[in-house]
Amino acid sequence: MMLEEDSLKNDQVSRNFSRHADEYDRYALVQKSVALQLLQRFSDSTGQGRTLEVGCGTGILSRMFLDKHSSLNLILSDLAHGMSCRVAASFPEQTVVDADAAALPFADSSFDLVLSSSVYQWVDHLSQAFSELHRVLRPGGQVVMALFGEKTLYELRHSHIEASGSGQSHSQGFPDCDQVQKALACQFEIELLESGSEVEWHPSVPSLLRSLKAIGAQNASRQR
């Protein structure tokens, strides 16, 4: 069951990303690097059968995947309708739907493979969302995903705490590796779980904030 506050947050996240669909690719440099590294983590043999991408955005991961597996039936989905419209125009031969990662609109055992990059950090209840992944996967199916972890934007949060003098930051929080592992282990056998760092330099805090807002990655914390 989705709580009203969860629904409101989803609406906000959807609006933020929809508004910035046209400029997302220009600023999503880290997301592009993460998508590339994600595809390097599994072999070509993994790309078999009916495949779902959760949170396709403008199609960064989709394009890389289809370059290797152009004959596969790839279903693209995103919470933000603006993103769905944009990716549908870019991939007219693929099926594109609006979909919430925590309540996927697909039948049980529908897919052999699920891909996702830079999405699940926006989900409050990882166990529920991963349960949905398990539900739509066929027996023996695989999930290959990447998400932003707890150290994401830690410099910004630390600066906020220091500047406010309150001892806390109201910026967006992200799940740590233990949280992700526990949520996954409830549904899946984990073949590989690892974390790494991506560094992007900005000349100032306003520059950083402008680049984040330009991709729709605005603060979705209820305490913002």
Side-chain angles (χ1 to χ4, degrees):
M1 177 182 294
M2 181 178 293
L3 300 177
E4 182 178 358
E5 58 186 14
D6 294 331
S7 179
L8 291 174
K9 178 183 176 181
N10 282 351
D11 290 343
Q12 180 189 344
V13 170
S14 176
R15 287 194 302 270
N16 288 345
F17 281 104
S18 289
R19 281 198 298 265
H20 296 280
D22 291 339
E23 56 184 342
Y24 184 90
D25 287 349
R26 177 182 173 187
Y27 293 95
L29 303 181
V30 171
Q31 287 79 359
K32 291 176 183 177
S33 177
V34 170
L36 178 60
Q37 292 182 58
L38 179 66
L39 288 184
Q40 293 172 342
R41 291 298 190 274
F42 66 99
S43 66
D44 290 346
S45 62
T46 304
Q48 302 293 329
R50 195 163 185 248
T51 304
L52 168 69
E53 182 180 355
V54 177
C56 60
T58 57
I60 291 173
L61 178 62
S62 320
R63 188 169 288 105
M64 295 178 184
F65 182 78
L66 288 171
D67 282 345
K68 285 190 173 183
H69 309 287
S70 58
S71 63
L72 286 185
N73 179 14
L74 177 62
I75 309 298
L76 305 172
S77 68
D78 201 281
L79 176 67
H81 183 64
M83 292 291 189
S84 298
C85 291
R86 183 174 176 82
V87 82
S90 300
F91 301 93
E93 297 182 358
Q94 309 299 327
T95 300
V96 181
V97 300
D98 290 347
D100 180 357
L104 296 171
F106 304 106
D108 296 355
S109 303
S110 296
F111 301 99
D112 300 288
L113 173 66
V114 176
L115 302 173
S116 181
S117 182
S118 305
V119 173
Y120 280 89
Q121 70 274 0
W122 299 109
V123 177
D124 283 332
H125 308 292
L126 286 178
S127 294
Q128 175 184 338
F130 293 162
S131 176
E132 277 292 276
L133 289 179
H134 186 269
R135 180 184 65 79
V136 302
L137 273 178
R138 291 169 180 160
Q142 289 184 299
V143 176
V144 180
M145 72 163 68
L147 69 157
F148 289 106
E150 63 176 330
K151 291 186 178 180
T152 303
L153 299 176
Y154 75 92
E155 304 99 330
L156 181 63
R157 289 198 299 275
H158 178 73
S159 298
H160 186 195
I161 291 171
E162 290 294 312
S164 67
S166 65
Q168 60 182 347
S169 173
H170 298 307
S171 59
Q172 179 77 32
F174 298 89
D176 62 37
C177 203
D178 285 343
Q179 289 175 304
V180 175
Q181 182 175 22
K182 289 177 182 178
L184 281 171
C186 291
Q187 303 292 338
F188 299 101
E189 177 183 343
I190 301 173
E191 295 184 6
L192 175 65
L193 178 63
E194 61 183 7
S195 63
S197 297
E198 283 289 318
V199 178
E200 183 176 286
W201 294 97
H202 295 268
S204 65
V205 172
S207 171
L208 167 63
L209 295 177
R210 281 194 295 270
S211 71
L212 290 173
K213 290 186 177 183
I215 62 173
Q218 300 181 43
N219 190 357
S221 169
R222 300 187 185 98
Q223 304 301 321
R224 67 188 181 281

